[in-house]
Amino acid sequence: SRGLPNRFGSQRFGRDAANATRARALLDGAPVARNRNQTRFLLSALQAEVFNAVLEARPLPLDRLETGDVAWLHSSGASFLVEDAEREAPRASAFEISATGPIFGTRTLEPRGSPGQRERAVYQELGLPPPEALRPPRGVRLRGARRPLRVRPDAASCEAAADGVVRLSLTLPPGSYATVLVEELLAGRFG
C-alpha cells in the first residue's frame, strides 16, 4: 500500500560494482571512451548510485512528503516543488504523487529545505560536487531528471508451482526492477 522502494538493482552497477567508480573518474577528467554510449552507461551507474543513496537517507516513510520535496505526479510524470506537505499528504496517501530523488544532470529541478540539504550531503559523501557544479565529460549530454522514490507493482500474483517453486508475476513501470521487489519480499526472512 505504501509502494516499493524504486531503487536501482545491483545489476545496474556492473561486475564488482565498478561502473560508478569508473564514472567518477570521468567526471574528474579521465579520458572519455570513443564509444559515447559506454560513457553514458557508466554515468548512468553513478546517477543510480546517487539516487539509491538519497533514497536510503530518506527519514520518512515512502508515502510521506516534506515541504521542499520535488514530487512526482504518477499519472503524467510531471514534477513540482512541494510547498505545503500537509496539503499534499492526501494525494501522497492515495499514491497520486510521490517524493523523488535525483538523476543528476544539467537540467534538474532541485529540492529545497531539508530534502535539498540531504541530497547535497549525499553528493558530498560520494565525493561529488553539488548538482550545479557537476560537468559532464566533453561531448556527453547529461540533462538529468527526477525519479519517484516509490512505485506500485500492478497485477501482482504469487502462486506455488511444482517442486516448491514459487511463481511471482507483476507489472512495474519502465526502469523499475522486479529483483528489488524480490529482495524486499525476502529481506525480512533471509536478511
Side-chain angles (χ1 to χ4, degrees):
S1 64
R2 287 188 166 169
L4 170 69
N6 197 21
R7 73 175 181 277
F8 289 92
S10 59
Q11 64 270 37
R12 182 68 170 227
F13 302 103
R15 186 175 304 211
D16 301 322
N19 288 349
T21 301
R22 292 172 60 200
R24 236 183 241 94
L26 292 172
L27 290 178
D28 289 338
V32 175
R34 288 183 185 200
N35 181 345
R36 298 285 186 223
N37 289 333
Q38 180 183 10
T39 300
R40 285 185 199 91
F41 179 76
L42 293 174
L43 289 169
S44 74
L46 183 56
Q47 289 171 318
E49 181 181 69
V50 169
F51 177 88
N52 282 0
V54 167
L55 176 59
E56 182 70 29
R58 185 143 179 105
L60 297 176
L62 292 175
D63 62 343
R64 300 254 328 268
L65 295 171
E66 285 181 272
T67 297
D69 268 327
V70 175
W72 177 270
L73 186 59
H74 287 279
S75 64
S76 68
S79 297
F80 65 94
L81 194 62
V82 175
E83 296 177 6
D84 183 343
E86 192 171 316
R87 183 180 69 221
E88 300 295 352
R91 294 174 70 196
S93 292
F95 225 117
E96 292 176 22
I97 60 176
S98 296
T100 63
I103 302 298
F104 68 77
T106 57
R107 295 183 178 183
T108 306
L109 180 59
E110 298 298 326
R112 308 281 191 266
S114 295
Q117 291 168 359
R118 275 194 309 279
E119 283 191 18
R120 288 179 175 278
V122 165
Y123 282 90
Q124 186 174 17
E125 288 168 18
L126 295 176
L128 296 171
E132 67 276 2
L134 278 168
R135 299 290 176 257
R138 185 179 171 155
V140 176
R141 294 174 96 184
L142 199 61
R143 291 189 176 187
R146 300 298 296 184
R147 175 181 170 97
L149 294 179
R150 66 179 179 157
V151 292
R152 176 181 282 167
D154 287 324
S157 66
C158 184
E159 62 184 56
D163 299 327
V165 173
V166 175
R167 179 167 301 167
L168 179 64
S169 177
L170 62 120
T171 302
L172 288 170
S176 298
Y177 292 83
T179 54
V180 170
L181 176 66
V182 171
E183 289 169 1
E184 289 292 318
L185 291 173
L186 300 179
R189 183 165 184 174
F190 299 105

